[in-house]
Amino acid sequence: MTCANPLRGEALLRIGATGHVLRPTFAALVAAEDELGPLPALVERAAGGQLRLAEIAALFWHCLADREHLTRDAVGAAVVAQGLAASAAPLRTILTQILKGIR
């Protein structure tokens, strides 16, 4: 069973029947920022309810601890399949780590 460590700022994203760890490392957040623009602006868009589905999927993709055997489309499909309400919990964890800093 895959477990996320909340003390490290990790979250769990369910893709199909499997849980995958989202780990917001420095490298992952730099890659996300390269694609999505400045992270503070991303957090502001999220706070204002203006975060797009593609942005959520991209952030999750970059933060996946292990992408082996996964595609980016699978991550986006998982977000849609579980719905935005279920995706909000891991998103909140990642955004909190952006604001507070990675432990």
Side-chain angles (χ1 to χ4, degrees), residues 27-39 62:
L29 294 177
V30 167
E33 190 171 52
D34 283 346
E35 179 178 344
L36 300 170
L39 294 179
H62 289 293

PDB file of all heavy atoms in Angstrom, residues 27-39 62:
ATOM      1  N   ALA A  27      12.658  20.390  -7.035  1.00  0.00           N
ATOM      2  CA  ALA A  27      12.747  20.107  -8.475  1.00  0.00           C
ATOM      3  C   ALA A  27      11.359  20.017  -9.106  1.00  0.00           C
ATOM      4  O   ALA A  27      11.141  20.530 -10.212  1.00  0.00           O
ATOM      5  CB  ALA A  27      13.527  18.817  -8.710  1.00  0.00           C
ATOM      6  N   ALA A  28      10.427  19.388  -8.408  1.00  0.00           N
ATOM      7  CA  ALA A  28       9.069  19.256  -8.939  1.00  0.00           C
ATOM      8  C   ALA A  28       8.398  20.619  -9.066  1.00  0.00           C
ATOM      9  O   ALA A  28       7.742  20.916 -10.070  1.00  0.00           O
ATOM     10  CB  ALA A  28       8.244  18.347  -8.035  1.00  0.00           C
ATOM     11  N   LEU A  29       8.586  21.461  -8.056  1.00  0.00           N
ATOM     12  CA  LEU A  29       7.953  22.780  -8.088  1.00  0.00           C
ATOM     13  C   LEU A  29       8.608  23.700  -9.110  1.00  0.00           C
ATOM     14  O   LEU A  29       7.925  24.513  -9.744  1.00  0.00           O
ATOM     15  CB  LEU A  29       7.952  23.398  -6.694  1.00  0.00           C
ATOM     16  CG  LEU A  29       7.082  22.642  -5.671  1.00  0.00           C
ATOM     17  CD1 LEU A  29       7.199  23.280  -4.305  1.00  0.00           C
ATOM     18  CD2 LEU A  29       5.637  22.557  -6.125  1.00  0.00           C
ATOM     19  N   VAL A  30       9.901  23.567  -9.320  1.00  0.00           N
ATOM     20  CA  VAL A  30      10.581  24.349 -10.366  1.00  0.00           C
ATOM     21  C   VAL A  30      10.042  23.945 -11.731  1.00  0.00           C
ATOM     22  O   VAL A  30       9.751  24.794 -12.577  1.00  0.00           O
ATOM     23  CB  VAL A  30      12.114  24.173 -10.289  1.00  0.00           C
ATOM     24  CG1 VAL A  30      12.792  24.704 -11.533  1.00  0.00           C
ATOM     25  CG2 VAL A  30      12.656  24.874  -9.047  1.00  0.00           C
ATOM     26  N   ALA A  31       9.881  22.644 -11.955  1.00  0.00           N
ATOM     27  CA  ALA A  31       9.340  22.166 -13.234  1.00  0.00           C
ATOM     28  C   ALA A  31       7.909  22.657 -13.431  1.00  0.00           C
ATOM     29  O   ALA A  31       7.532  23.079 -14.531  1.00  0.00           O
ATOM     30  CB  ALA A  31       9.401  20.643 -13.289  1.00  0.00           C
ATOM     31  N   ALA A  32       7.113  22.623 -12.371  1.00  0.00           N
ATOM     32  CA  ALA A  32       5.738  23.123 -12.458  1.00  0.00           C
ATOM     33  C   ALA A  32       5.723  24.616 -12.755  1.00  0.00           C
ATOM     34  O   ALA A  32       4.937  25.092 -13.580  1.00  0.00           O
ATOM     35  CB  ALA A  32       4.990  22.821 -11.164  1.00  0.00           C
ATOM     36  N   GLU A  33       6.613  25.351 -12.100  1.00  0.00           N
ATOM     37  CA  GLU A  33       6.682  26.794 -12.306  1.00  0.00           C
ATOM     38  C   GLU A  33       7.117  27.123 -13.732  1.00  0.00           C
ATOM     39  O   GLU A  33       6.605  28.064 -14.340  1.00  0.00           O
ATOM     40  CB  GLU A  33       7.629  27.419 -11.297  1.00  0.00           C
ATOM     41  CG  GLU A  33       7.583  28.933 -11.270  1.00  0.00           C
ATOM     42  CD  GLU A  33       8.378  29.502 -10.118  1.00  0.00           C
ATOM     43  OE1 GLU A  33       9.561  29.138  -9.962  1.00  0.00           O
ATOM     44  OE2 GLU A  33       7.796  30.307  -9.370  1.00  0.00           O
ATOM     45  N   ASP A  34       8.041  26.341 -14.277  1.00  0.00           N
ATOM     46  CA  ASP A  34       8.471  26.545 -15.663  1.00  0.00           C
ATOM     47  C   ASP A  34       7.293  26.426 -16.625  1.00  0.00           C
ATOM     48  O   ASP A  34       7.216  27.142 -17.616  1.00  0.00           O
ATOM     49  CB  ASP A  34       9.555  25.541 -16.061  1.00  0.00           C
ATOM     50  CG  ASP A  34      10.915  25.891 -15.500  1.00  0.00           C
ATOM     51  OD1 ASP A  34      11.109  27.038 -15.029  1.00  0.00           O
ATOM     52  OD2 ASP A  34      11.801  25.001 -15.528  1.00  0.00           O
ATOM     53  N   GLU A  35       6.393  25.515 -16.326  1.00  0.00           N
ATOM     54  CA  GLU A  35       5.237  25.297 -17.197  1.00  0.00           C
ATOM     55  C   GLU A  35       4.080  26.243 -16.900  1.00  0.00           C
ATOM     56  O   GLU A  35       3.441  26.762 -17.814  1.00  0.00           O
ATOM     57  CB  GLU A  35       4.754  23.859 -17.071  1.00  0.00           C
ATOM     58  CG  GLU A  35       3.547  23.581 -17.923  1.00  0.00           C
ATOM     59  CD  GLU A  35       3.064  22.151 -17.860  1.00  0.00           C
ATOM     60  OE1 GLU A  35       3.819  21.266 -17.402  1.00  0.00           O
ATOM     61  OE2 GLU A  35       1.921  21.915 -18.266  1.00  0.00           O
ATOM     62  N   LEU A  36       3.804  26.468 -15.619  1.00  0.00           N
ATOM     63  CA  LEU A  36       2.580  27.166 -15.225  1.00  0.00           C
ATOM     64  C   LEU A  36       2.766  28.631 -14.863  1.00  0.00           C
ATOM     65  O   LEU A  36       1.786  29.331 -14.646  1.00  0.00           O
ATOM     66  CB  LEU A  36       1.959  26.436 -14.028  1.00  0.00           C
ATOM     67  CG  LEU A  36       1.579  24.983 -14.278  1.00  0.00           C
ATOM     68  CD1 LEU A  36       1.209  24.299 -12.973  1.00  0.00           C
ATOM     69  CD2 LEU A  36       0.459  24.895 -15.289  1.00  0.00           C
ATOM     70  N   GLY A  37       3.994  29.072 -14.775  1.00  0.00           N
ATOM     71  CA  GLY A  37       4.249  30.445 -14.366  1.00  0.00           C
ATOM     72  C   GLY A  37       4.530  30.509 -12.874  1.00  0.00           C
ATOM     73  O   GLY A  37       4.580  29.482 -12.194  1.00  0.00           O
ATOM     74  N   PRO A  38       4.707  31.709 -12.345  1.00  0.00           N
ATOM     75  CA  PRO A  38       5.079  31.877 -10.937  1.00  0.00           C
ATOM     76  C   PRO A  38       4.097  31.185  -9.986  1.00  0.00           C
ATOM     77  O   PRO A  38       2.877  31.298 -10.138  1.00  0.00           O
ATOM     78  CB  PRO A  38       5.052  33.388 -10.734  1.00  0.00           C
ATOM     79  CG  PRO A  38       5.228  33.962 -12.106  1.00  0.00           C
ATOM     80  CD  PRO A  38       4.572  32.990 -13.036  1.00  0.00           C
ATOM     81  N   LEU A  39       4.652  30.476  -9.023  1.00  0.00           N
ATOM     82  CA  LEU A  39       3.817  29.734  -8.078  1.00  0.00           C
ATOM     83  C   LEU A  39       2.929  30.633  -7.214  1.00  0.00           C
ATOM     84  O   LEU A  39       1.788  30.264  -6.936  1.00  0.00           O
ATOM     85  CB  LEU A  39       4.684  28.821  -7.216  1.00  0.00           C
ATOM     86  CG  LEU A  39       5.369  27.683  -7.983  1.00  0.00           C
ATOM     87  CD1 LEU A  39       6.226  26.848  -7.037  1.00  0.00           C
ATOM     88  CD2 LEU A  39       4.373  26.816  -8.715  1.00  0.00           C
ATOM     89  N   HIS A  62       3.806  17.033 -12.140  1.00  0.00           N
ATOM     90  CA  HIS A  62       5.174  17.375 -11.751  1.00  0.00           C
ATOM     91  C   HIS A  62       5.496  16.908 -10.336  1.00  0.00           C
ATOM     92  O   HIS A  62       6.656  16.622 -10.038  1.00  0.00           O
ATOM     93  CB  HIS A  62       5.412  18.877 -11.896  1.00  0.00           C
ATOM     94  CG  HIS A  62       5.478  19.321 -13.318  1.00  0.00           C
ATOM     95  ND1 HIS A  62       6.490  18.953 -14.168  1.00  0.00           N
ATOM     96  CD2 HIS A  62       4.632  20.082 -14.044  1.00  0.00           C
ATOM     97  CE1 HIS A  62       6.280  19.473 -15.359  1.00  0.00           C
ATOM     98  NE2 HIS A  62       5.152  20.162 -15.314  1.00  0.00           N
TER      99      HIS A  62
END
